[in-house]
């Protein structure tokens, strides 16, 4: 995520923050590097000029040049300016209370990921306590309705659809009626897109918006298209009046041009970003956290939030008690594998740790290891998972065959489990070691 611009800005920050004195020449040289980095990131030229002028003006003031720690002060100015570019602060959806329907209209060109974004948004709202309904109003793209139905079923969110319908306005009105009759408080409308903006698409969207009166009119745009995404947002906003943007494929965007240009050019906030293919790879957009990542400072807050989403406090307490009693089983180990998988890819996790962004090439990591380990445990019987000591040579052969692995891999997993179990027992009983680990994490 944003690897290219993060590497460039990370190096700039390292150089500047270490300086005990800052001169006007230092400032001009650094700002020139920043200017080139932003242009290479495909940030709008007008935005770059504003950024550069404002940074130079503020950095040359007495606050930096005569500061006790001028390097850090200069970095703070750069950080604040990037946060401003990204939108200043996190923006929430403006939804009505639970006793009425809030309509969210999703717009965008074909291929931007509207349908996928619709189901991800529905899943997040469901998690937040809302009762969403998906309405299939993409009556142009072949199999669009089937795709939305399949995704809705995956997250247990109903989809209102009319298979042979031709009129998106009628379908959207019928969908809202269905929502009122069945107690759904949020209606997410997935509309048709085209390969490019055209009159027919815009007329249909204008008509749907007129009858539905949405509380949110959100453009779904591909982050990887850079300034093109900004131009598309301007066109949609002029004709439909956007309230915000969802940037998809943000995890694959190495440059960040769309994110850094959108708010300045359109005045519309980025509300969510798509960070992967899974349903849960969908995050609220925090300008301050993204700015921190861009400058190579990591994003510990988001990392902790991800961990909290996958860890149940009561379950964690039970696991700690089991570890202390030396009752940690292979089933528990499998559960930990599943939780780690839910946190996202290795690279996305590393991006959130200060100084680690872009340090690991995930293509060179063998991700099959954990899959094999999960397959081995899943090939065991309940008794074997509960007591690994009963797994003798014949059982190991059977498990290897059932999991498509080798006896050597089964042996390796069991040895790893025994070491993990022993280490966990020691940690559970050693409060001093726990406190030391926590203090190290806090310091990081």
């Amino acid at each position: 995520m944003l690897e290219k611009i993060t590497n460039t800005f990370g190096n700039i920050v390292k150089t500047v923050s270490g300086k005990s004195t800052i001169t006007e020449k230092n400032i001009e040289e650094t700002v020139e590097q920043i200017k080139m980095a932003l242009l290479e990131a495909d940030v709008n030229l007008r935005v770059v000029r504003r950024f550069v002028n404002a940074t130079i003006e503020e950095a040359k003031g007495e606050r930096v040049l005569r500061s006790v720690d001028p390097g850090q002060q200069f970095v703070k100015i750069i950080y604040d300016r990037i946060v401003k570019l990204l939108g200043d602060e996190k923006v929430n959806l403006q939804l009505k209370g639970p006793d009425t329907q809030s309509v969210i209209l999703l717009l965008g060109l074909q291929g931007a990921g509207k349908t996928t974004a619709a189901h991800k948004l529905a899943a997040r709202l469901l998690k937040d306590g809302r009762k969403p309904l998906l309405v299939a109003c993409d009556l142009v793209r072949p199999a669009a309705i089937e795709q939305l139905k399949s995704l809705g079923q995956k997250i247990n969110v109903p989809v209102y659809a009319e298979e042979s319908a031709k009129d998106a306005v009628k379908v959207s009105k019928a969908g809202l009626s269905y929502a009122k009759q069945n107690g759904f408080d949020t209606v997410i409308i997935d509309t048709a897109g085209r390969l490019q903006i055209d009159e027919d698409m815009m007329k249909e969207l204008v008509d749907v918006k007129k009858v539905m009166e949405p509380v949110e009119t959100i453009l779904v745009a591909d982050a990887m298209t850079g300034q093109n995404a900004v131009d598309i947002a301007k066109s949609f906003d002029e004709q439909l009046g956007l309230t915000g943007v969802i940037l998809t494929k943000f995890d694959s965007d190495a440059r960040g041009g769309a994110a850094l240009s959108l708010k300045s050019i359109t005045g519309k906030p980025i509300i969510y970003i798509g960070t992967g293919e899974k349903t849960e790879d969908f995050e609220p957009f925090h300008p301050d956290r993204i700015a921190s990542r861009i400058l190579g400072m990591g994003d510990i807050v988001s990392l902790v939030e991800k961990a909290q989403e996958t860890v149940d406090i009561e379950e964690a307490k039970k696991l700690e008690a089991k570890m202390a009693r030396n009752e940690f089983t292979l089933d528990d180990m499998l559960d930990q594998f599943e939780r780690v998988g839910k946190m996202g890819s290795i690279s996305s996790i590393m991006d959130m740790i200060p100084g680690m962004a872009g340090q690991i090439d995930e293509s060179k990591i063998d991700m099959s290891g954990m899959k094999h380990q999960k397959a081995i445990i899943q090939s065991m019987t309940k008794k074997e998972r509960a007591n690994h000591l009963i797994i003798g040579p014949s059982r190991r052969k059977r498990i290897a065959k059932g999991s498509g692995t080798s006896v050597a891999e089964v042996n390796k997993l069991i040895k790893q489990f025994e070491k993990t179990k022993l280490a966990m027992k020691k940690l559970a009983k050693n409060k001093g070691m726990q406190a030391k680990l926590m203090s190290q994490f806090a310091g990081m």
Side-chain angles (χ1 to χ4, degrees):
M1 185 189 293
L2 308 177
E3 296 88 352
K4 192 171 181 181
I5 192 168
T6 297
N7 287 337
T8 306
F9 267 92
N11 290 333
I12 292 170
V13 165
K14 281 177 190 173
T15 304
V16 173
S17 59
K19 289 186 180 292
S20 56
T21 57
I22 293 282
T23 65
E24 290 195 5
K25 187 182 178 185
N26 292 150
I27 290 169
E28 287 168 4
E29 287 172 351
T30 304
V31 170
E32 184 62 27
Q33 286 179 281
I34 291 170
K35 176 183 171 183
M36 295 309 298
L38 292 173
L39 290 173
E40 285 174 10
D42 198 25
V43 177
N44 181 278
L45 181 58
R46 197 169 71 204
V47 174
V48 175
R49 282 177 180 155
R50 283 183 198 158
F51 183 94
V52 165
N53 293 337
T55 304
I56 288 176
E57 185 181 342
E58 192 171 352
K60 284 187 176 180
E62 287 189 16
R63 195 157 64 91
V64 171
L65 297 177
R66 297 190 181 181
S67 168
V68 175
D69 196 341
Q72 292 290 346
Q73 194 70 52
F74 188 21
V75 169
K76 176 71 166 60
I77 289 171
I78 296 169
Y79 168 79
D80 288 343
R81 286 288 156 194
I82 292 176
V83 172
K84 194 170 183 64
L85 274 193
L86 293 168
D88 279 327
E89 57 188 25
K90 174 179 174 285
V91 174
N92 298 313
L93 294 176
Q94 301 302 303
L95 303 179
K96 299 176 185 176
D99 299 329
T100 186
Q101 285 67 43
S102 298
V103 176
I104 301 173
L105 185 62
L106 296 186
L107 323 166
L109 297 187
Q110 196 170 306
K114 271 195 313 301
T115 304
T116 304
H119 106 275
K120 287 182 176 182
L121 177 58
R124 177 162 281 275
L125 292 176
L126 186 67
K127 193 176 176 183
D128 291 342
R130 306 285 299 188
K131 190 178 178 185
L133 172 73
L134 288 161
V135 179
C137 284
D138 184 350
L139 310 178
V140 176
R141 182 169 61 89
I145 293 175
E146 284 308 309
Q147 183 191 5
L148 190 63
K149 278 185 174 180
S150 173
L151 291 170
Q153 190 174 23
K154 181 181 172 185
I155 58 172
N156 294 318
V157 169
V159 175
Y160 181 84
E162 296 179 14
E163 298 292 341
S164 56
K166 301 291 182 188
D167 189 336
V169 176
K170 286 183 180 177
V171 173
S172 60
K173 283 175 73 176
L176 181 57
S177 222
Y178 180 84
K180 288 176 180 176
Q181 291 165 16
N182 293 278
F184 293 99
D185 58 29
T186 313
V187 180
I188 301 170
I189 301 178
D190 179 29
T191 61
R194 303 286 195 280
L195 292 174
Q196 59 188 30
I197 293 169
D198 63 30
E199 284 184 29
D200 290 340
M201 176 183 69
M202 283 301 184
K203 184 181 183 307
E204 179 178 277
L205 294 175
V206 167
D207 290 344
V208 170
K209 183 175 181 181
K210 196 176 290 182
V211 298
M212 297 304 288
E213 298 181 341
V215 294
E216 295 282 358
T217 303
I218 299 175
L219 175 75
V220 180
D222 183 343
M224 294 179 68
T225 59
Q227 284 193 56
N228 192 36
V230 181
D231 295 336
I232 291 165
K234 275 181 69 180
S235 297
F236 272 94
D237 185 44
E238 284 165 5
Q239 298 187 59
L240 288 146
L242 299 177
T243 56
V245 178
I246 292 173
L247 275 184
T248 62
K249 305 173 191 173
F250 200 74
D251 56 312
S252 301
D253 181 18
R255 300 182 300 171
L260 288 161
S261 304
L262 259 165
K263 185 67 165 61
S264 296
I265 298 298
T266 68
K268 307 303 171 185
I270 300 166
I271 304 176
Y272 290 103
I273 50 174
T275 57
E277 295 178 3
K278 297 177 186 174
T279 299
E280 58 269 23
D281 294 336
F282 191 71
E283 303 174 9
F285 185 76
H286 295 267
D288 55 340
R289 299 186 192 180
I290 298 298
S292 186
R293 288 195 206 185
I294 287 173
L295 295 179
M297 298 172 180
D299 182 4
I300 288 296
V301 177
S302 291
L303 182 59
V304 170
E305 285 178 355
K306 270 186 176 287
Q308 287 174 337
E309 284 176 11
T310 61
V311 175
D312 181 280
I313 298 299
E314 289 305 313
E315 288 297 318
K317 286 179 180 176
K318 287 178 186 175
L319 181 61
E320 185 181 1
K322 288 181 81 172
M323 284 157 50
R325 296 193 303 267
N326 200 27
E327 293 175 0
F328 185 75
T329 68
L330 283 158
D331 258 330
D332 296 319
M333 191 176 194
L334 179 62
D335 184 53
Q336 297 313 305
F337 285 154
E338 298 286 357
R339 291 184 190 281
V340 169
K342 285 179 183 176
M343 283 187 67
S345 66
I346 297 292
S347 61
S348 70
I349 293 170
M350 297 305 286
D351 282 350
M352 297 180 196
I353 300 173
M356 294 303 294
Q359 297 300 308
I360 288 186
D361 183 354
E362 197 160 355
S363 65
K364 294 179 181 177
I365 298 175
D366 181 12
M367 299 303 290
S368 62
M370 191 181 288
K371 288 181 183 176
H372 289 166
Q373 290 174 325
K374 285 167 66 176
I376 289 168
I377 298 173
Q378 288 163 344
S379 296
M380 296 176 184
T381 64
K382 284 186 178 180
K383 285 185 178 179
E384 288 166 346
R385 291 188 208 180
N387 181 13
H388 73 287
L389 296 174
I390 68 172
I391 307 176
S394 60
R395 288 177 186 259
R396 295 186 188 208
K397 275 186 184 177
R398 190 205 78 243
I399 292 165
K401 189 176 180 181
S403 60
T405 59
S406 66
V407 172
E409 286 175 287
V410 175
N411 293 339
K412 185 179 176 182
L413 172 77
I414 292 172
K415 278 186 181 177
Q416 181 187 331
F417 168 72
E418 288 173 339
K419 285 181 180 178
T420 303
K421 188 175 180 180
L422 182 62
M424 285 184 161
K425 184 185 177 184
K426 286 180 181 177
L427 180 61
K429 290 186 174 181
N430 191 333
K431 298 297 178 184
M433 192 184 293
Q434 289 177 31
K436 188 177 178 183
L437 282 173
M438 289 306 293
S439 67
Q440 286 175 346
F441 182 75
M444 182 184 70

